[in-house]
Amino acid sequence: MRLFLVRHGETDYNRQGLALGRADVPLNEQGRRQASLLAQALAGEPVRAVYSSPLRRCLDTAQEIARRHGLPVEPLPAVIEMDIGEAEGLTYAQVRERFPDLLQRWLGPDPTAATMPGGEGLVAVQERAWQAILALAERHLQDTVVVVTHNFVILSILTRALGMPLSSFRRLRHEVGAISLLEIDGETMTLVRLNDTCHLHLREGNL
């Protein structure tokens, strides 16, 4: 299976630097443009299925991609973003003020020990997302598949695929509107593209 991991386009929360988990905020104007450019970038791929987190910033991004291939978008709840609980919508300064112990653990050597206040931690995110990817690999043995999802979900999948400790997730980066590509052949996983944003710097119609 060729698996395109796509992060949704930009939202106002992303632009303002607010903590964003499961708040169902829409794409902003820039995010809608990024979704269109993503669709254009993937138009030439032999995509057989498009899956998405159930949050609308992902669904709207996925719809743009799926439309180019005449496919429906299939919601995949297991790749919803990390539940960040009471940190939702806060600035970095507000999180530091309200949850100093959390921030100390999150920025420490083992961020996997941190659980979001009223939410979940990275270990739970990785487990549910990884099981979803394994199920897709069984269903789409020779297919090219797109999964539109979120930052922490993508980073947790990539660290697992590369055999990295989950605590090393900050060694990877995945921007909004970026593409990564994994090739999955049984237990062999190869990272072909990482955090590719080239398409976002082109004008529509110029790919």
Side-chain angles (χ1 to χ4, degrees), residues 139-164:
R139 189 180 311 160
H140 297 283
L141 291 175
Q142 303 293 328
D143 293 340
T144 296
V145 173
V146 174
V147 174
V148 182
T149 180
H150 308 268
N151 185 45
F152 290 125
V153 174
I154 292 174
L155 296 182
S156 69
I157 291 170
L158 291 178
T159 53
R160 185 73 170 263
L162 295 172
M164 297 169 56

Side-chain angles (χ1 to χ4, degrees), residues 96-160:
R96 182 176 56 196
E97 178 183 352
R98 299 184 194 184
F99 309 106
D101 292 341
L102 166 68
L103 203 59
Q104 186 176 13
R105 292 193 299 274
W106 183 249
L107 297 177
D110 185 12
T112 64
T115 299
M116 297 294 127
E120 63 182 340
L122 280 173
V123 173
V125 174
Q126 186 182 65
E127 182 58 27
R128 60 175 166 78
W130 189 249
Q131 292 305 315
I133 296 307
L134 293 181
L136 291 182
E138 288 186 4
R139 189 180 311 160
H140 297 283
L141 291 175
Q142 303 293 328
D143 293 340
T144 296
V145 173
V146 174
V147 174
V148 182
T149 180
H150 308 268
N151 185 45
F152 290 125
V153 174
I154 292 174
L155 296 182
S156 69
I157 291 170
L158 291 178
T159 53
R160 185 73 170 263

Side-chain angles (χ1 to χ4, degrees), residues 11-60:
T11 70
D12 284 342
Y13 272 43
N14 299 125
R15 174 163 291 189
Q16 297 165 19
L18 303 179
L20 178 56
R22 296 188 180 178
D24 203 7
V25 297
L27 299 175
N28 60 19
E29 182 178 352
Q30 173 70 354
R32 291 189 292 273
R33 175 181 176 275
Q34 290 171 340
S36 179
L37 290 169
L38 277 165
Q40 193 171 333
L42 295 172
E45 299 290 343
V47 176
R48 296 294 300 273
V50 178
Y51 294 89
S52 173
S53 157
L55 297 179
R56 58 178 168 166
R57 59 187 182 272
C58 286
L59 288 171
D60 288 349

